[in-house]
């Protein structure tokens, strides 16, 4: 059991070193690094390997997220469905995705009788 603990500690240190090498703005605060180390160690103890953790750490660094979301990023990478191809569905600036191209197109309600003035009466 001691050998497994040494191996996970070594792997956590290696993953932390890789994470730090990729930080473009310099070294993160000690609290962030300590928290991240605990999360990495916890995931390694659960049986997740460096090949799963590296992409999650890349995403964590790229988005500047809190280390507590690392397990969620691992889950997202492992259990996310296939990513839709760009030709399958048009993207929209609003982020509506598939719903942006729903047919028929949205038509706002228009009152069939136009009011004669500002308040519906001639002034």
């Amino acid at each position: 059991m001691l050998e497994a603990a040494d191996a996970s500690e070594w792997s956590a240190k290696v993953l932390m070193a890789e994470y730090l090498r990729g930080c473009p703005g310099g070294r993160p605060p000690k609290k962030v690094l300590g928290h991240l180390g605990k999360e990495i160690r916890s995931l390694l103890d659960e049986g997740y390997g460096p090949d799963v953790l590296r992409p999650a750490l890349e995403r964590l660094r790229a988005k500047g997220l809190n280390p507590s979301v690392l397990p969620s990023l691992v889950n997202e990478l492992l259990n996310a469905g296939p990513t839709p191809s760009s030709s399958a569905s048009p993207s929209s600036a609003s982020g509506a995705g598939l719903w942006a191209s729903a047919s028929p197109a949205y038509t706002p309600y228009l009152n069939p009788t136009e009011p004669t003035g500002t308040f519906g009466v001639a002034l």
Side-chain angles (χ1 to χ4, degrees):
M1 185 69 177
L2 183 60
E3 292 172 10
D6 289 341
S8 71
E9 182 68 27
W10 181 81
S11 295
K13 286 182 181 180
V14 169
L15 289 169
M16 284 293 292
E18 290 174 4
Y19 178 83
L20 286 171
R21 259 186 260 123
C23 290
R27 184 182 172 100
K30 284 184 180 181
K31 275 191 166 183
V32 172
L33 294 177
H35 189 179
L36 183 60
K38 289 176 187 174
E39 294 293 339
I40 291 172
R41 239 177 281 119
S42 171
L43 289 165
L44 286 170
D45 290 344
E46 285 185 42
Y48 296 102
D51 55 329
V52 174
L53 292 175
R54 281 187 182 107
L57 286 167
E58 288 291 326
R59 193 172 287 186
L60 183 82
R61 179 179 42 244
K63 292 185 175 187
L65 299 172
N66 188 297
S68 63
V69 300
L70 184 61
S72 295
L73 292 174
V74 169
N75 182 48
E76 180 182 322
L77 290 168
L78 292 175
N79 296 316
T83 56
S85 65
S86 58
S87 63
S89 64
S91 64
S92 70
S94 67
L98 297 173
W99 295 278
S101 61
S103 32
Y106 171 74
T107 306
Y109 173 76
L110 299 174
N111 192 350
T113 60
E114 296 213 12
T116 54
T118 304
F119 297 104
V121 295
L123 297 175

